[in-house]
């Protein structure tokens, strides 16, 4: 398992736009490909033994201390560790810092 983070917003209506911005903000090598999904995206690797590197999607909270049950937040699952994953997290943090709407990262 990798790193798990959530991103909450004081204005949850902005979350779909934030997910799009996060996907656009990522830079990665041609070893990876970005697959958009209905409520998020997956960064896939060519390596079939570990095909998913990063998953980001909107989800409803249930049993989390940081956010009330039923509220929407962005779930981020980094399947890999190391410098690449750290770089993606930093890119995503920079992007969220530029968004109005009170975005707050929290560890799961």
């Amino acid at each position: 398992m990798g790193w798990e983070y959530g991103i909450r917003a004081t204005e949850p209506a902005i979350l779909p736009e934030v997910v799009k911005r996060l996907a656009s903000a990522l830079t990665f090598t041609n070893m990876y490909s970005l697959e958009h999904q209905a409520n998020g995206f997956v960064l896939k690797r060519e390596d079939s033994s570990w095909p998913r590197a990063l998953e980001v999607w909107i989800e409803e909270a249930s049993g989390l201390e940081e956010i009330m049950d039923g509220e929407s937040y962005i779930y981020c699952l980094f399947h890999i560790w190391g410098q690449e994953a750290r770089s993606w997290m930093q890119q995503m943090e920079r992007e969220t810092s530029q968004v109005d709407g009170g975005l707050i990262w929290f560890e799961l």
Side-chain angles (χ1 to χ4, degrees):
M1 185 60 89
W3 303 324
E4 289 181 288
Y5 288 91
I7 305 170
R8 65 180 183 199
T10 55
E11 302 172 34
I14 68 169
L15 293 179
E17 182 58 33
V18 172
V19 168
K20 289 178 189 173
R21 288 181 66 163
L22 293 176
S24 296
L26 291 177
T27 59
F28 46 87
T29 66
N30 61 2
M31 178 181 168
Y32 299 95
S33 62
L34 189 68
E35 178 183 286
H36 292 276
Q37 299 185 347
N39 63 345
F41 64 88
V42 176
L43 190 58
K44 293 186 167 188
R45 292 172 35 141
E46 291 181 4
D47 182 354
S48 61
S49 67
W50 202 270
R52 291 177 176 228
L54 170 64
E55 295 180 62
V56 176
W57 66 83
I58 298 171
E59 152 169 317
E60 282 191 12
S62 178
L64 300 176
E65 291 180 21
E66 297 84 356
I67 190 166
M68 292 181 58
D69 285 358
E71 285 191 32
S72 294
Y73 72 102
I74 298 172
Y75 176 76
C76 307
L77 174 56
F78 294 81
H79 288 276
I80 65 171
W81 302 275
Q83 186 54 39
E84 279 181 312
R86 217 175 331 281
S87 174
W88 297 332
M89 183 183 294
Q90 290 168 346
Q91 292 166 29
M92 291 168 58
E93 287 174 331
R94 275 193 302 274
E95 189 63 30
T96 58
S97 72
Q98 297 176 22
V99 175
D100 291 334
L103 297 175
I104 300 167
W105 283 74
F106 57 95
E107 192 170 351
L108 295 168

